[in-house]
Amino acid sequence: MCRWRAWWKGLPALLLLLAAAIYFARAPVEDDLAARSGTLLMQIGESWAHADFNGRDAVLEGEALSEEARVKVRRELARLSGVRSVDDQTTLLPERRPFTFTAIRDGAQLRLEGYVPSVWARERIADAAEKMAPGVVVTGVKDLVRARGVPAGDFVGVVIFGINQLARMPAGRITISDDAFSIEGRAPDFKTYDALEVTVRSELPADFKLARFAVLPPAVSPFVWQASREPDGVRLSGYIPLGDARRALLDMVRSAVPGAAISDQLRLADGSPPTDGWLKAVDFALEQLGRLPDGTVGLSDTTISIEGTAPDFAAYDAIAGARRSVPEGYTLTRFAVTPPAVNPFTWAVMRGSAGLRLTGFAPSEDAKRLVIDAVRAGFPGVPISDEMRIASGGPAAEAWVNATVFGVGQLAKLRSGQVKGKGNTLSVSGEAQDSASYTAIRGAFAGQLPKDFSIQSDVRPPVVSPYVFGMRRDTDGLTISGFYPSTQGHEALIAAAKSEMLGVPVNDVSALASGAPDGFEQATLAALHELARLSNGEARFDDAKLRFTGTALYAAAVDSIRANLEAALPKGFVLDLSLDVVLRHESTNNAACQKAIDDLLARGAIEFSPKGTAIAPVSRGLLDHIAVAASGCPDAVIGVSVQQTTTPDRAAARAQAVTDYLAQAGISPERLLTGTPSALAIQSQSEVAPAQAGLQVIVR
């Protein structure tokens, strides 16, 4: 039986029970659908989307990268078991063109800028940035903007690749613009630079291209570059500036050394001088290298060096001349180009009426300059013609300079002449300016000579005209003045003067000079012999004219002197003789006469011809003075004897010759006795030399 009133009363409780059952059964269903939809979205690669469930009805939210992605998500979610409906509330991300991303490192700071396609991509990039280097501080992660327009390929992978390259540099930047990858910065060393270049150019992720590799190599100092000629071409080493310098440099090498194989070992480096000026300096250096088959040229910052051996004088002259046209801002600090070798190595400095002329070879430019400076100092204002060429194969530069400067010093004392060199021999020849200069030159050659050189001299005394020479005898002695032609002959004349003048002072103020007439020394010696016979007088030569004046000791001596001079003077000489005679000598006693004669014999000796009996001309003066002394005692008998290691007959004949000479001098023959036994023996020299008689004159 139905009791509907009782049933109605239980209905609210039933409804409440039903509602509770429905509520508590819905939550597990929604949670299950949410979990399974999340897994699905991850599996299909659309993690940007998110589904919320109201029962079995899905509400789809998120920012899609494309309409295709929205469709895909709706379709796949609608197929998920248990899903009744899908309410698509997703939106499209804004599209960015170009799609850019930048990572900038400055020491321990890393800043990220730009766009990412998804939260997942942002998280991966942030994680890679945090692990880039110990202590790095990453900023900008939250500011990375999700956007559409990401290029095809592994965008996150290329970002992480770039961050890994930044880890090798203390500072730098990577930039991704669509599919173009760029990197810039400065490598800390060449090893890192090489590794970066290889990695970036060869390992960049697929679908991306390298737009710009602007990593700077390390800065070097000094910035050096070198080019060397080798048998098979030209080797380049050192550094080259950034930019297009390499291409320009290689073109210069091909122009300077046509056809040469180029070994390019240059490294890009920073720290070079301005590239335009650097290339001009390289071009200058390579132009010189083209002239040196075994040369080396180089730059170090703004200095240039050139080394090698010139194959000929044309090449050396061109290279040496180029030293005057070094590019502005650069300095040629090393010039070690060896000139061509010559054999024999000769040179000369010649002095003439038109000035000085330098010819031959010098061992170096510096050595040549030192010699030219010495020439200018020794010959101020004199024109100089420099025809010297630089060559090798000669003496060492220092020795060459010392020897040549020594020769130039002597050349300055010559009226005309030359300094000539050949190998390690130097000769000086010419005519001295004056006697003092000639003496100075002789002194220089007798002193310390340049090391490592043999020195030869052919310096002539000065030529004088008229050629004058004089010998004057007075109360003060004998004075010799004027010029003489040879040292040897003059020394013989001085020795004869000291002997024949019986010890009177001899004052020699004469000087060596050329220009004497033939037979001049013979004529002066003859004049000396006769001058010794005078009490005072002078023998003066003017070229070949002899003026002989003075006072003879006795009247007969005048004609004797004239005759002797006329006989002894060489052909071409002219005699002008004017002699007076000493007034009559006062009479003295015998003892005074003896003492005067003894004094004379103590100061001189009678000489005869070797192995003969003729009285030598050098003894005429002594005999004339003995005759004058003997005439002071007119009543005395004069005994003459000769003692000598010779035959008795020759000794007697020589004594007789003296007796005859005294008789001709005015001593009465009745007063003269020959061969008196007592004599003062003065031993003679050997028979080879002129015989020196042991003469004794006794006054009784």
Side-chain angles (χ1 to χ4, degrees), residues 415 430-439 442 459-469 481-490 508-518 520-521 524 543:
R415 179 177 290 114
E431 177 188 343
Q433 291 183 351
D434 49 44
S435 297
S437 298
Y438 182 80
T439 301
R442 291 184 62 193
V459 176
R460 302 180 301 277
V463 176
V464 296
S465 181
Y467 202 89
V468 294
F469 179 80
S481 62
F483 304 100
Y484 57 87
S486 75
T487 301
Q488 183 178 2
H490 187 65
D508 181 18
V509 293
S510 60
L512 185 67
S514 299
D518 293 340
F520 183 80
E521 290 181 338
T524 56
D543 287 333

Coordinates of all heavy atoms in Angstrom, one line a residue, residues 415 430-439 442 459-469 481-490 508-518 520-521 524 543:
R415 N 150.8 70.3 -50.3 CA 150.4 71.3 -51.3 C 149.5 70.6 -52.4 O 148.5 71.1 -52.8 CB 151.6 72.0 -52.0 CG 151.2 73.0 -53.1 CD 152.4 73.7 -53.6 NE 153.0 74.6 -52.7 CZ 154.2 74.5 -52.1 NH1 154.9 73.4 -52.5 NH2 154.7 75.3 -51.3
G430 N 152.9 63.0 -52.3 CA 152.7 64.3 -52.7 C 153.8 65.3 -52.2 O 154.8 64.8 -51.7
E431 N 153.6 66.5 -52.4 CA 154.5 67.6 -52.0 C 154.1 68.3 -50.8 O 152.9 68.8 -50.8 CB 154.7 68.5 -53.2 CG 155.7 69.7 -52.9 CD 155.7 70.7 -54.0 OE1 155.2 70.4 -55.1 OE2 156.1 71.9 -53.8
A432 N 155.0 68.4 -49.8 CA 154.6 69.1 -48.6 C 154.4 70.6 -48.9 O 155.0 71.2 -49.8 CB 155.7 68.9 -47.6
Q433 N 153.6 71.2 -48.1 CA 153.3 72.7 -48.2 C 154.6 73.5 -47.9 O 154.9 74.5 -48.6 CB 152.2 73.1 -47.3 CG 150.8 72.6 -47.7 CD 149.7 73.1 -46.9 OE1 150.0 73.7 -45.8 NE2 148.5 72.9 -47.2
D434 N 155.3 73.1 -46.9 CA 156.5 73.8 -46.5 C 157.3 72.8 -45.7 O 156.9 71.7 -45.4 CB 156.1 75.1 -45.6 CG 155.1 74.8 -44.5 OD1 155.3 73.7 -43.8 OD2 154.2 75.6 -44.4
S435 N 158.5 73.3 -45.2 CA 159.4 72.5 -44.5 C 158.9 72.0 -43.2 O 159.1 70.9 -42.8 CB 160.7 73.2 -44.3 OG 161.3 73.5 -45.6
A436 N 158.1 72.9 -42.5 CA 157.6 72.5 -41.2 C 156.5 71.4 -41.4 O 156.5 70.5 -40.6 CB 156.9 73.7 -40.5
S437 N 155.7 71.5 -42.5 CA 154.8 70.4 -42.7 C 155.4 69.1 -43.1 O 155.0 68.1 -42.6 CB 153.9 70.9 -43.9 OG 153.1 72.0 -43.6
Y438 N 156.5 69.2 -43.8 CA 157.3 68.0 -44.2 C 157.8 67.4 -42.9 O 157.7 66.1 -42.7 CB 158.4 68.4 -45.1 CG 159.2 67.2 -45.6 CD1 158.7 66.3 -46.6 CD2 160.4 66.9 -45.0 CE1 159.4 65.2 -47.0 CE2 161.1 65.7 -45.4 CZ 160.6 64.9 -46.4 OH 161.3 63.8 -46.8
T439 N 158.4 68.2 -42.0 CA 158.9 67.6 -40.8 C 157.8 67.0 -39.9 O 158.0 65.9 -39.3 CB 159.6 68.8 -40.0 OG1 160.6 69.3 -40.8 CG2 160.2 68.2 -38.7
R442 N 156.9 63.6 -41.4 CA 157.9 62.6 -41.1 C 157.7 62.2 -39.6 O 157.9 61.0 -39.3 CB 159.3 63.2 -41.3 CG 159.6 63.4 -42.8 CD 161.0 63.9 -42.9 NE 162.0 62.9 -42.4 CZ 163.3 63.1 -42.2 NH1 163.8 64.4 -42.5 NH2 164.1 62.2 -41.8
V459 N 156.2 61.2 -49.6 CA 156.0 62.6 -49.5 C 157.3 63.3 -49.8 O 158.3 63.0 -49.2 CB 155.5 63.0 -48.1 CG1 155.4 64.5 -47.9 CG2 154.2 62.3 -47.8
R460 N 157.2 64.3 -50.7 CA 158.4 65.0 -51.1 C 158.4 66.3 -50.4 O 157.4 66.9 -50.0 CB 158.3 65.3 -52.6 CG 158.2 64.0 -53.5 CD 158.2 64.3 -55.0 NE 157.0 65.2 -55.3 CZ 155.8 64.7 -55.5 NH1 155.5 63.5 -55.4 NH2 154.8 65.6 -55.8
P461 N 159.6 66.8 -50.2 CA 159.7 68.2 -49.6 C 159.1 69.2 -50.5 O 158.9 69.0 -51.7 CB 161.2 68.4 -49.4 CG 161.8 67.0 -49.6 CD 160.9 66.2 -50.5
P462 N 158.8 70.4 -50.0 CA 158.2 71.4 -50.8 C 159.2 71.9 -51.9 O 160.5 71.9 -51.7 CB 157.9 72.5 -49.8 CG 158.9 72.3 -48.7 CD 159.0 70.8 -48.6
V463 N 158.8 72.2 -53.0 CA 159.6 72.8 -54.1 C 159.6 74.3 -53.9 O 158.6 74.9 -53.9 CB 159.0 72.4 -55.5 CG1 159.8 73.1 -56.6 CG2 159.0 70.9 -55.7
V464 N 160.9 74.8 -53.8 CA 161.0 76.3 -53.6 C 161.8 76.8 -54.8 O 162.6 76.2 -55.4 CB 161.8 76.6 -52.3 CG1 161.0 76.1 -51.1 CG2 163.2 76.0 -52.3
S465 N 161.5 78.0 -55.1 CA 162.2 78.8 -56.2 C 162.1 80.3 -55.9 O 161.0 80.8 -55.7 CB 161.5 78.4 -57.5 OG 162.2 79.1 -58.6
P466 N 163.2 80.9 -55.9 CA 164.5 80.4 -56.1 C 165.0 79.6 -54.9 O 164.5 79.8 -53.8 CB 165.4 81.7 -56.2 CG 164.6 82.7 -55.5 CD 163.2 82.4 -55.6
Y467 N 165.9 78.7 -55.2 CA 166.4 77.8 -54.2 C 167.6 78.4 -53.5 O 168.7 78.6 -54.1 CB 166.8 76.4 -54.8 CG 166.9 75.3 -53.8 CD1 165.7 74.5 -53.6 CD2 168.0 75.0 -53.2 CE1 165.8 73.5 -52.7 CE2 168.1 73.9 -52.3 CZ 167.0 73.2 -52.0 OH 167.0 72.2 -51.1
V468 N 167.4 78.9 -52.3 CA 168.5 79.7 -51.6 C 169.1 78.8 -50.5 O 168.3 78.1 -49.8 CB 167.9 81.0 -51.1 CG1 167.5 81.9 -52.3 CG2 166.8 80.8 -50.2
F469 N 170.3 79.1 -50.2 CA 171.0 78.4 -49.2 C 172.2 79.2 -48.8 O 172.9 79.8 -49.7 CB 171.5 77.0 -49.6 CG 172.2 76.2 -48.5 CD1 171.5 75.6 -47.5 CD2 173.6 76.1 -48.5 CE1 172.2 74.9 -46.5 CE2 174.3 75.4 -47.6 CZ 173.6 74.8 -46.5
S481 N 171.5 78.5 -43.2 CA 170.1 78.8 -43.4 C 169.7 78.5 -44.8 O 170.6 78.1 -45.6 CB 169.9 80.3 -43.2 OG 170.7 81.1 -44.1
G482 N 168.4 78.6 -45.1 CA 167.9 78.3 -46.4 C 167.4 76.9 -46.5 O 166.8 76.3 -45.5
F483 N 167.6 76.2 -47.6 CA 167.0 74.9 -47.9 C 168.1 73.9 -48.3 O 169.1 74.3 -48.9 CB 165.9 75.0 -49.0 CG 164.8 76.0 -48.6 CD1 164.9 77.3 -49.2 CD2 163.8 75.7 -47.7 CE1 163.9 78.2 -48.9 CE2 162.8 76.6 -47.4 CZ 162.9 77.8 -48.0
Y484 N 167.8 72.7 -48.0 CA 168.7 71.6 -48.5 C 167.8 70.5 -49.1 O 166.7 70.3 -48.7 CB 169.5 71.1 -47.4 CG 168.8 70.6 -46.2 CD1 168.3 69.2 -46.1 CD2 168.5 71.4 -45.1 CE1 167.6 68.8 -45.0 CE2 167.8 70.9 -44.0 CZ 167.3 69.6 -44.0 OH 166.6 69.2 -42.9
P485 N 168.4 69.7 -50.1 CA 167.5 68.8 -50.8 C 167.4 67.4 -50.2 O 166.4 66.7 -50.5 CB 168.3 68.7 -52.2 CG 169.7 69.0 -51.8 CD 169.7 70.0 -50.7
S486 N 168.3 67.0 -49.3 CA 168.2 65.7 -48.7 C 168.7 65.7 -47.3 O 169.6 66.4 -47.0 CB 168.9 64.6 -49.5 OG 170.3 64.7 -49.3
T487 N 168.1 64.9 -46.5 CA 168.5 64.8 -45.1 C 169.9 64.2 -44.9 O 170.7 64.7 -44.2 CB 167.4 64.0 -44.3 OG1 166.2 64.6 -44.4 CG2 167.8 63.9 -42.8
Q488 N 170.1 63.2 -45.7 CA 171.4 62.5 -45.6 C 172.5 63.4 -46.0 O 173.6 63.5 -45.3 CB 171.4 61.3 -46.5 CG 172.7 60.4 -46.4 CD 172.6 59.2 -47.3 OE1 171.6 59.0 -48.0 NE2 173.7 58.4 -47.2
G489 N 172.4 64.1 -47.1 CA 173.5 65.1 -47.5 C 173.6 66.2 -46.5 O 174.7 66.7 -46.3
H490 N 172.5 66.7 -46.0 CA 172.6 67.8 -45.0 C 173.3 67.3 -43.8 O 174.1 68.1 -43.2 CB 171.2 68.3 -44.7 CG 171.2 69.5 -43.9 ND1 171.7 70.7 -44.3 CD2 170.7 69.8 -42.6 CE1 171.6 71.7 -43.4 NE2 171.0 71.1 -42.4
D508 N 172.2 75.7 -37.1 CA 171.5 75.2 -38.3 C 170.0 75.6 -38.3 O 169.2 75.1 -37.5 CB 171.6 73.7 -38.4 CG 171.0 73.2 -39.7 OD1 170.7 74.0 -40.6 OD2 170.7 72.0 -39.8
V509 N 169.6 76.6 -39.1 CA 168.2 77.0 -39.2 C 167.7 76.7 -40.6 O 166.7 77.3 -41.1 CB 168.0 78.5 -38.9 CG1 168.3 78.7 -37.4 CG2 168.9 79.3 -39.8
S510 N 168.3 75.8 -41.3 CA 167.9 75.4 -42.7 C 166.7 74.4 -42.6 O 166.4 73.8 -41.6 CB 169.1 74.9 -43.5 OG 169.6 73.7 -42.9
A511 N 166.1 74.2 -43.8 CA 165.0 73.3 -43.9 C 165.0 72.5 -45.2 O 165.6 73.0 -46.2 CB 163.7 74.1 -43.8
L512 N 164.4 71.3 -45.1 CA 164.4 70.5 -46.3 C 163.4 71.0 -47.3 O 162.3 71.4 -47.0 CB 164.0 69.1 -45.9 CG 164.0 68.0 -46.9 CD1 165.5 67.7 -47.4 CD2 163.4 66.7 -46.4
A513 N 163.9 71.0 -48.6 CA 163.0 71.4 -49.7 C 163.5 70.9 -51.0 O 164.7 70.6 -51.1 CB 162.9 72.9 -49.7
S514 N 162.6 70.7 -51.9 CA 163.0 70.3 -53.3 C 163.2 71.5 -54.1 O 162.8 72.6 -53.8 CB 161.9 69.4 -53.9 OG 161.6 68.2 -53.1
G515 N 163.7 71.2 -55.3 CA 164.0 72.3 -56.3 C 165.4 72.7 -56.4 O 165.7 73.7 -57.1
A516 N 166.3 72.0 -55.8 CA 167.7 72.3 -55.8 C 168.3 71.9 -57.2 O 167.8 70.9 -57.8 CB 168.5 71.5 -54.8
P517 N 169.2 72.7 -57.8 CA 169.8 72.4 -59.0 C 170.7 71.1 -58.9 O 171.1 70.8 -57.8 CB 170.6 73.6 -59.4 CG 170.9 74.3 -58.1 CD 169.7 74.0 -57.2
D518 N 170.9 70.4 -60.0 CA 171.8 69.2 -60.0 C 173.1 69.6 -59.4 O 173.7 70.6 -59.8 CB 171.9 68.7 -61.4 CG 170.6 68.1 -61.9 OD1 169.7 67.9 -61.0 OD2 170.4 68.0 -63.1
F520 N 173.8 70.2 -56.3 CA 173.8 71.2 -55.2 C 174.6 70.8 -54.0 O 175.3 71.6 -53.4 CB 172.3 71.5 -54.9 CG 172.1 72.6 -53.9 CD1 172.2 73.9 -54.3 CD2 171.9 72.3 -52.5 CE1 172.0 74.9 -53.3 CE2 171.8 73.3 -51.6 CZ 171.8 74.6 -52.0
E521 N 174.4 69.5 -53.6 CA 175.1 69.1 -52.3 C 176.6 69.1 -52.5 O 177.4 69.5 -51.6 CB 174.6 67.7 -51.9 CG 173.1 67.8 -51.4 CD 172.7 66.4 -51.0 OE1 173.2 65.4 -51.5 OE2 171.7 66.3 -50.2
T524 N 177.7 72.8 -52.2 CA 177.7 73.3 -50.8 C 178.9 72.8 -50.0 O 179.5 73.5 -49.2 CB 176.4 73.0 -50.1 OG1 176.2 71.6 -50.1 CG2 175.2 73.7 -50.8
D543 N 169.8 79.5 -56.4 CA 169.7 78.4 -57.4 C 171.2 78.0 -57.7 O 171.8 77.5 -56.8 CB 169.0 79.0 -58.6 CG 167.5 79.0 -58.4 OD1 167.0 78.3 -57.6 OD2 166.8 79.9 -59.0

